[in-house]
Amino acid sequence: MKFLVLNGVNLNLTGKRERGVYGSETLDSINRELEADCQKAGHEVEFFQSNLEGELCTKLQEADGKYDGIVLNAGAFTHYSYAIRDAIAAISVPVVEVHMSNVYKREEFRHKSVLTEVCKGEILGFGKNSYLLALRSFTL
């Protein structure tokens, strides 16, 4: 199987910002762990991060028919990006929404996702392991 892990706005700062929420590991370090886990299981994985909403939409559109599943941590775009929502709805590849923190224990504005209803599922609150759980959900 082949997967795409998409990370949105500010996730390039993982390990540097709000360490109490997101931990001290960098996004590159997390990606290497995910890649090793996928390789061990005989799967392929690619990674993409952007702070630009349109780039994430383009990557989602290009993913159709190319991947078996997408793991998406859209960051703050989760709460207001109807463009990303529509891109997910337009493709046939299943998408699992991921958040490292438990958004329901955070600020009220983080409690609403405009993406969830067009995603296969949502995994949150397990730190970097949220990504791993999402990837594994495709092989269950």
Side-chain angles (χ1 to χ4, degrees):
M1 296 184 84
K2 188 173 183 180
F3 303 110
L4 175 63
V5 176
L6 280 180
N7 281 285
V9 65
N10 294 320
L11 286 152
N12 57 306
L13 298 176
T14 302
K16 298 176 186 173
R17 70 184 262 264
E18 298 183 79
R19 289 181 180 188
V21 175
Y22 301 109
S24 59
E25 282 193 64
T26 66
L27 186 59
D28 286 339
S29 173
I30 293 168
N31 288 346
R32 284 193 303 272
E33 287 183 47
L34 296 173
E35 185 172 36
D37 191 72
C38 282
Q39 286 177 346
K40 189 166 52 172
H43 305 303
E44 295 177 50
V45 63
E46 293 179 14
F47 303 94
F48 183 79
Q49 186 279 324
S50 180
N51 291 319
L52 303 176
E53 182 180 36
E55 287 185 358
L56 294 168
C57 291
T58 297
K59 200 69 173 174
L60 285 161
Q61 293 169 8
E62 292 171 347
D64 206 20
K66 186 176 177 183
Y67 299 97
D68 298 295
I70 299 170
V71 173
L72 172 64
N73 184 343
F77 291 137
T78 299
H79 314 294
Y80 63 86
S81 179
Y82 294 104
I84 292 174
R85 182 204 183 281
D86 289 348
I88 295 167
I91 63 174
S92 61
V93 182
V95 176
V96 173
E97 179 183 347
V98 164
H99 302 282
M100 290 194 286
S101 67
N102 181 344
V103 296
Y104 300 105
K105 290 186 172 186
R106 299 186 65 197
E107 303 93 339
E108 183 72 28
F109 74 89
R110 296 184 195 276
H111 297 186
K112 172 68 175 150
S113 167
V114 299
L115 309 179
T116 303
E117 68 183 31
V118 293
C119 289
K120 175 183 177 184
E122 177 185 36
I123 298 175
L124 55 90
F126 295 99
K128 68 179 183 178
N129 290 321
S130 293
Y131 291 98
L132 181 61
L133 293 168
L135 284 167
R136 289 186 178 172
S137 75
F138 290 112
T139 60
L140 298 176

